[in-house]
Amino acid sequence: MSVVAVIGAQWGDEGKGKIVDLLAERAKAVVRFSGGDNAGHTVINPYGEFRLHLVPSGIFHPGVVCIIGNGVAINPAVLLGEIDDLKKHGVDTSHLFISDRAHIIMPYHILLDGLEEERRGRGALGTTRKGIGPVFADKIARLGIRTCDLLDKEAFQSRLSSVLEFKNAILTKVYDAPPLSLKEIYQQYCHYGESLAPFIRDTGSILQEIMSRRETVLLEGAQGTMLDPDFGTYPYVTSSSPLAAGGSIGSGVSFRQIAHIIGVFKAYTTRVGGGPMPTELKDEIGELIRERAHEYGATTGRPRRCGWFDAVAGRFSIQINGFNSIALTRLDILDTLPSIKICTGYKLDGETLDQFPSNVAILHRCQPVYEELPGWQTSTNNIHDSKQLPSQAHQYIARLEELLSCPVNIISVGAKREQTIMVRQVV
Ligand code: IMO
Ligand code: MG
């Protein structure tokens, strides 16, 4: 198989890192293609426990080329810190490469992310404040600075000077904030450029070469489908596309080469930040899920909002990504519950909606329609074969497959690599 995409199917934090770390064993390359250090991918393996923000989760496999693709926005300080931390834990990072076309997060992006959120007041989006919105806005506005720019100091200085003039005008005139110093940023980023230079490559060509040998490439999604700027719960979304199609644009792989798309779903739903979440549980069950699963953001530490599985959003996610497989994670979190609900429809003013609404004002008013299934109330943590799952767990999974019209091929029952049930081999 050539290119396999591993995509967040809900609102992020679905466990993509674990799935990629596991599947990378059979791959030749792993590519991050979107987002930036707003992502937090937790990986627990024999090297230890890691929260990766920028480095692909394939990094623990020495023979696997790891690429930070052109679609990722890079905060150099975060990336260098992450590389250092991996090295300290004995992880080889010599197989890591960064696209020469990736955009760089600058100090004004981070400042503006915070200032914009403050100005929104009660309407704040709940961003991670990592500069993501502003850096992708600059990319499209043609005001961005890319990794390749850092390699030519003279050209970088003149580009930075013209962009900073513009940014300082916004900082001082709109936000009444002090201006940033060209000299300081220039020196700091020249320094970053020198440290990152050994990693910077035309990564698209590296991938083409790997694909020409018919070796497997994994595209590692960040964020989740419902945070997509086009199809998510706009404006409560992120600023780059987490969809399978984004995997093509953000890596330089033609979408025709993506042979298999895995949608990673949690066995329930979480969301961090603002915006509607129809199945959110503001009761003791939501609290129980949060505590059992330790649902606190890997990037910001914020408590995640928890709720039942939303099959309406799930069907929409399948439709726009074209998933071939589902990886269902954190099934074990439901182990103690006497009964489990699945949202099978939304009710609005007495009518059942058959499409996921585009307007968040409408979504806010939707009432979830639930179907209740019996829980299994026994531990699944040590199950390796799907045949050993309790019958109620089978029933729950079969109902999800039916509602989503997609097979569950991987089931995760714990954070460790071995706590995984491979129902069918996907890579
Ligand atoms: P991973 O890759 C969950 C959310 C933020 C906020 C919204 C916009 O770990 O699944 P941004 O900083 O991107 O402008 O914030 O998107 N968000 C995530 N939520 N998991 C993520 O990444 C997220 N990345 C961004 O909480 O609601
Ligand atoms: Mg995360």
Side-chain angles (χ1 to χ4, degrees):
M1 196 168 282
S2 181
V3 181
V4 177
V6 179
I7 302 299
Q10 296 160 314
W11 275 278
D13 301 322
E14 299 90 349
K16 299 173 287 287
K18 171 186 164 163
I19 302 297
V20 170
D21 172 56
L22 190 81
L23 297 181
E25 203 171 53
R26 289 160 167 267
K28 185 63 203 171
V30 177
V31 193
R32 268 282 308 270
F33 63 79
S34 67
D37 62 312
N38 50 348
H41 295 182
T42 305
V43 177
I44 300 175
N45 61 26
Y47 286 99
E49 183 170 338
F50 300 87
R51 270 169 201 83
L52 300 173
H53 300 291
L54 285 164
V55 173
S57 304
I59 196 71
F60 306 96
H61 300 269
V64 175
V65 172
C66 283
I67 289 175
I68 299 179
N70 54 282
V72 178
I74 298 174
N75 178 327
V78 172
L79 177 56
L80 290 165
E82 209 163 289
I83 293 171
D84 259 4
D85 186 55
L86 286 162
K87 280 190 190 156
K88 270 189 212 131
H89 284 83
V91 181
D92 172 25
T93 54
S94 63
H95 51 113
L96 173 70
F97 302 103
I98 304 167
S99 167
D100 51 1
R101 291 178 163 87
H103 281 249
I104 298 281
I105 295 185
M106 305 297 291
Y108 43 82
H109 293 133
I110 299 170
L111 268 175
L112 287 167
D113 198 353
L115 290 167
E116 288 167 10
E117 276 288 83
E118 301 297 332
R119 183 157 277 211
R120 286 184 197 111
R122 285 190 52 221
L125 304 176
T127 75
T128 58
R129 300 190 179 215
K130 303 289 180 188
I132 301 300
V135 73
F136 284 110
D138 273 2
K139 174 175 176 173
I140 303 305
R142 296 159 293 195
L143 283 171
I145 290 174
R146 304 190 297 169
T147 44
C148 58
D149 297 325
L150 299 184
L151 302 179
D152 178 344
K153 288 186 183 169
E154 229 169 273
F156 171 51
Q157 187 168 31
S158 89
R159 173 114 185 117
L160 179 63
S161 135
S162 70
V163 173
L164 194 62
E165 208 174 299
F166 191 75
K167 296 293 168 187
N168 274 340
I170 296 172
L171 283 172
T172 55
K173 294 187 181 142
V174 176
Y175 292 104
D176 209 12
L180 295 171
S181 146
L182 171 66
K183 191 167 160 230
E184 275 173 33
I185 299 181
Y186 174 68
Q187 282 174 349
Q188 177 78 78
Y189 277 70
C190 280
H191 184 67
Y192 290 147
E194 285 161 19
S195 307
L196 292 178
F199 300 96
I200 298 173
R201 293 280 198 293
D202 174 359
T203 50
S205 327
I206 300 179
L207 285 172
Q208 292 303 335
E209 198 207 306
I210 293 173
M211 288 187 302
S212 72
R213 297 197 299 266
R214 305 211 120 268
E215 288 176 305
T216 298
V217 172
L218 289 182
L219 300 178
E220 175 177 356
Q223 288 80 54
T225 298
M226 305 314 292
L227 291 171
D228 179 70
D230 280 270
F231 294 101
T233 47
Y234 193 88
Y236 299 93
V237 293
T238 189
S239 300
S240 63
S241 177
L243 305 181
S248 164
I249 296 169
S251 68
V253 163
S254 158
F255 64 88
R256 290 208 302 163
Q257 285 166 306
I258 303 180
H260 195 97
I261 307 172
I262 303 171
V264 187
F265 284 89
K266 257 181 206 169
Y268 48 93
T269 307
T270 64
R271 172 163 207 175
V272 60
M277 175 182 164
T279 63
E280 181 172 10
L281 291 168
K282 291 182 177 160
D283 59 8
E284 64 283 4
I285 302 180
E287 190 63 31
L288 185 126
I289 294 176
R290 178 161 42 252
E291 293 317 311
R292 249 182 88 70
H294 196 72
E295 291 289 1
Y296 292 88
T299 301
T300 55
R302 293 176 291 177
R304 295 181 186 139
R305 301 152 66 191
C306 300
W308 298 117
F309 192 96
D310 184 339
V312 182
R315 276 197 297 268
F316 183 58
S317 180
I318 300 238
Q319 191 185 317
I320 53 186
N321 284 292
F323 297 142
N324 307 90
S325 286
I326 292 173
L328 189 69
T329 61
R330 314 218 75 176
L331 183 73
D332 57 303
I333 298 304
L334 306 180
D335 283 353
T336 59
L337 298 175
S339 73
I340 300 166
K341 289 183 185 171
I342 303 175
C343 166
T344 56
Y346 294 159
K347 272 239 148 74
L348 180 72
D349 303 331
E351 307 261 320
T352 305
L353 296 189
D354 44 14
Q355 292 297 326
F356 190 83
S358 53
N359 188 332
V360 284
I362 292 178
L363 191 57
H364 262 304
R365 289 173 45 226
C366 285
Q367 289 302 317
V369 178
Y370 287 119
E371 197 172 287
E372 194 158 356
L373 277 79
W376 43 93
Q377 295 189 281
T378 172
S379 170
T380 55
N381 285 135
N382 296 313
I383 295 180
H384 303 290
D385 181 345
S386 68
K387 289 192 201 77
Q388 288 162 2
L389 282 171
S391 64
Q392 297 91 333
H394 271 295
Q395 195 187 338
Y396 182 65
I397 294 165
R399 186 63 183 131
L400 293 183
E401 288 181 318
E402 190 177 30
L403 286 165
L404 302 175
S405 307
C406 189
V408 171
N409 287 337
I410 303 173
I411 303 166
S412 174
V413 290
K416 295 188 184 136
R417 279 180 185 167
E418 58 274 19
Q419 291 177 303
T420 312
I421 302 169
M422 279 290 174
V423 185
R424 283 166 216 95
Q425 209 64 51
V426 286
V427 175

